[in-house]
Amino acid sequence: MATGRTHRPATRSRGIPEATVARLPLYLRALTALSERSVPTVSSEELAAAAGVNSAKLRKDFSYLGSYGTRGVGYDVEYLVYQISRELGLTQDWPVVIVGIGNLGAALANYGGFASRGFRVAALIDADPAMKGKPVAGMPVQHTDDLERIIEDNGVSIGVIATPAGAAQQVCDRLVAAGVTSILNFAPTVLSVPDGVDVRKVDLSIELQILAFHEQRKAGEEAASDGGPPAAAARKDSADQGPDGDVPAVMPA
Amino acid sequence: MATGRTHRPATRSRGIPEATVARLPLYLRALTALSERSVPTVSSEELAAAAGVNSAKLRKDFSYLGSYGTRGVGYDVEYLVYQISRELGLTQDWPVVIVGIGNLGAALANYGGFASRGFRVAALIDADPAMKGKPVAGMPVQHTDDLERIIEDNGVSIGVIATPAGAAQQVCDRLVAAGVTSILNFAPTVLSVPDGVDVRKVDLSIELQILAFHEQRKAGEEAASDGGPPAAAARKDSADQGPDGDVPAVMPA
DNA sequence: ATGTCTTTGTGAACGCGTGCACAAAGATGG
DNA sequence: CCATCTTTGTGCACGCGTTCACAAAGACAT
């Protein structure tokens, strides 16, 4: 079958809802900023505003971690920073490898947000022999041939794939075989992995396409009610909703 | 405090669920690949496998667009490519500006996935005077001073922010004031925008933190049952599933 | 100590998304 | 023309996530 195993059967990890886990880093960032300003306590309302979420949601999220607040006062910033960090596993060191040192891979290697959160770039790996030894972000690029050894030597369990789409699955297979159990995939492909391996994907093109959808809808609505076409590129053709085909099928890929 | 206006009012845009919209680009990519191999038709089962989703979900998604399939046969690939492209607004040209030409901004400028989908990088903008005129991805970087003019001259409605966190809100405000109504934000900050402006954010650090959470959980479970402290790389195959399946790294605006 | 005021923690209702399972629709073969 | 087979389109049920609204808990002043 070789189906891309990527669906989620509602795994409530350790009782903490997945949606909550996804927001914890957001809270952590806001709390870190408060901590740097030496703010001692914060209310759910204030913190929610800083994180851009509903305050009730924030309180419910925190309730999954435990009762860390004080009624009438709020939450202790430092204590909460520690609790969330611990919950997310950021109190330990996570060696990470980045495979595919093109433009994006290099950008990731230079990205400061990793190191500041307990992640350590253990190695940069590329398939191009010409890249071998070349320093990127103060670190020599290593060749794909040594991938397995690098993973093992450094105890890497998290891998970042920034290769072209064509190479992604092969790289993924090798990473998994070498012991990696979490993968962050930037290649525009559906990765197929065995059970027990987590894959998260970031697709820049998809994000833009979603924006384009909403943008088109806004343009359509505006054109329908208001008469003023805003600027140059406003070619809309809505007339949607034709159950039967209205236009032939040809499209630029 | 001025709350970051970033929540989604359950906008069932035009009756198409947000979750479905987020999957359309996925289907489109799989269909494009089929089209290039000159495959005439495809069943929901096959296409679902290629896109990494459930076949029933895929059929339901398509049902929101209309009845474009033929029972007993499947879907016409070319026709479906066109319909989805039209629905996503990819049949028109979308000029995009990228603000902040650091490592990430440069990587985005060079990213081929944009141009291949109807997006056109209209301008690269940076606040550093030293960058002005410097060619990146075959295009001269322009200075922030000209931001408003560039937006207007090119009819740009989609902006990409790849600046440091500190500058993001300011850049965002200027983009919005100049007429941009959709923003893709790579800066690790919560952006505050007026109603009617869509913001999607991609945060690389957050993605890794979510992976770390699951990784820690896996390690903990293993230690609890197996007892043996894993060597460097943990290897197990317990039946827990990945958290993927939807849109990671992104808060619906 | 007592009352008031602030803020948390959560019960409950609701809506969205998912997946099952099946009837309807059309293709295909005799 | 009828029977059979394939595949779509969808009604329905279920569970997760979100939000409201409020009682409980603690701080603080008198």
Side-chain angles (χ1 to χ4, degrees):
Chain A
M1 47 146 65
T3 304
R5 258 259 27 80
T6 316
H7 70 276
R8 160 188 50 185
T11 308
R12 268 258 194 117
S13 320
R14 237 279 303 290
I16 299 180
E18 192 60 33
T20 295
V21 172
R23 280 188 293 268
L24 289 182
L26 221 57
Y27 302 143
L28 183 57
R29 182 197 297 156
L31 285 165
T32 303
L34 291 172
S35 173
E36 282 167 1
R37 289 194 289 138
S38 300
V39 177
T41 62
V42 65
S43 71
S44 64
E45 203 71 48
E46 293 166 332
L47 185 55
V53 302
N54 183 295
S55 71
K57 190 187 296 185
L58 179 142
R59 287 198 299 275
K60 180 145 289 190
D61 283 341
F62 286 173
S63 77
Y64 291 116
L65 308 184
S67 289
Y68 293 148
T70 304
R71 296 173 194 232
V73 176
Y75 299 91
D76 182 279
V77 172
E78 295 297 333
Y79 186 58
L80 205 47
V81 164
Y82 171 73
Q83 289 298 340
I84 295 180
S85 293
R86 191 174 54 84
E87 197 68 49
L88 285 172
L90 303 182
T91 52
Q92 60 183 282
D93 180 66
W94 292 104
V96 172
V97 294
I98 300 176
V99 185
I101 314 301
N103 283 300
L104 181 58
L108 293 173
N110 281 293
Y111 181 52
F114 291 168
S116 70
R117 288 267 181 270
F119 298 98
R120 179 172 52 84
V121 177
L124 308 179
I125 303 176
D126 199 283
D128 183 1
M131 291 286 294
K132 185 170 179 180
K134 201 173 152 191
V136 172
M139 178 177 290
V141 174
Q142 302 185 63
H143 192 264
T144 316
D145 287 346
D146 299 326
L147 188 145
E148 284 77 10
R149 183 184 54 73
I150 296 168
I151 300 290
E152 214 161 320
D153 287 359
N154 294 86
V156 172
S157 55
I158 300 178
V160 177
I161 297 180
T163 66
Q169 182 62 58
Q170 191 180 354
V171 166
C172 173
D173 290 343
R174 287 182 66 184
L175 287 174
V176 170
V180 167
T181 49
S182 288
I183 291 177
L184 182 53
N185 179 33
F186 286 88
T189 320
V190 177
L191 289 182
S192 173
V193 297
D195 281 355
V197 176
D198 284 324
V199 175
R200 296 191 68 85
K201 76 169 167 348
V202 176
D203 191 314
L204 313 176
S205 168
I206 283 183
E207 296 304 316
L208 271 191
Q209 290 177 56
I210 295 172
L211 282 179
F213 172 84
H214 292 292
E215 196 61 34
Q216 175 180 240
R217 188 173 54 83
K218 278 186 275 191
E221 279 176 2
E222 177 173 332
S225 59
D226 189 56
R235 183 210 175 262
K236 82 135 199 115
D237 64 348
S238 336
D240 52 281
Q241 217 37 339
D244 47 323
D246 45 28
V247 199
V250 181
M251 254 302 296
Chain B
M1 188 48 200
T3 305
R5 196 101 205 92
T6 316
H7 70 275
R8 160 189 48 181
T11 311
R12 266 266 193 113
S13 320
R14 237 279 305 292
I16 300 182
E18 193 59 30
T20 295
V21 172
R23 280 189 294 267
L24 289 183
L26 221 58
Y27 302 144
L28 183 57
R29 183 198 298 155
L31 284 164
T32 302
L34 291 172
S35 172
E36 281 167 2
R37 289 195 289 138
S38 300
V39 176
T41 63
V42 65
S43 72
S44 64
E45 203 70 49
E46 293 167 332
L47 184 55
V53 303
N54 182 295
S55 71
K57 191 187 297 184
L58 178 143
R59 287 196 300 274
K60 181 151 290 189
D61 283 341
F62 285 173
S63 77
Y64 292 116
L65 309 183
S67 289
Y68 294 148
T70 303
R71 297 176 192 230
V73 175
Y75 299 91
D76 182 281
V77 172
E78 296 297 330
Y79 186 59
L80 205 47
V81 164
Y82 172 74
Q83 289 298 340
I84 295 178
S85 294
R86 189 174 57 85
E87 198 67 50
L88 285 173
L90 303 181
T91 51
Q92 59 182 283
D93 181 65
W94 293 104
V96 172
V97 295
I98 301 176
V99 185
I101 313 301
N103 282 301
L104 181 57
L108 294 173
N110 281 293
Y111 181 51
F114 290 169
S116 70
R117 286 269 181 268
F119 298 100
R120 179 171 53 83
V121 178
L124 307 179
I125 303 178
D126 199 284
D128 184 1
M131 289 289 292
K132 186 171 178 180
K134 200 173 151 192
V136 172
M139 178 176 290
V141 174
Q142 302 185 63
H143 193 264
T144 316
D145 289 345
D146 299 327
L147 188 144
E148 285 77 10
R149 182 184 55 73
I150 295 167
I151 301 290
E152 215 160 318
D153 287 359
N154 295 86
V156 173
S157 54
I158 299 179
V160 178
I161 297 180
T163 67
Q169 182 63 58
Q170 191 179 355
V171 166
C172 173
D173 291 344
R174 289 182 65 184
L175 286 174
V176 170
V180 166
T181 47
S182 287
I183 290 177
L184 182 53
N185 179 32
F186 287 89
T189 320
V190 176
L191 289 182
S192 174
V193 296
D195 280 356
V197 176
D198 284 323
V199 175
R200 296 189 69 86
K201 81 169 161 7
V202 175
D203 192 313
L204 314 174
S205 168
I206 284 184
E207 293 306 312
L208 272 190
Q209 291 177 55
I210 295 172
L211 282 178
F213 172 85
H214 292 291
E215 198 60 36
Q216 176 180 239
R217 187 172 56 83
K218 278 186 274 191
E221 278 177 3
E222 175 171 330
S225 60
D226 195 45
R235 189 74 179 99
K236 89 182 186 69
D237 57 16
S238 102
D240 74 274
Q241 281 81 355
D244 203 329
D246 48 15
V247 193
V250 172
M251 286 298 275

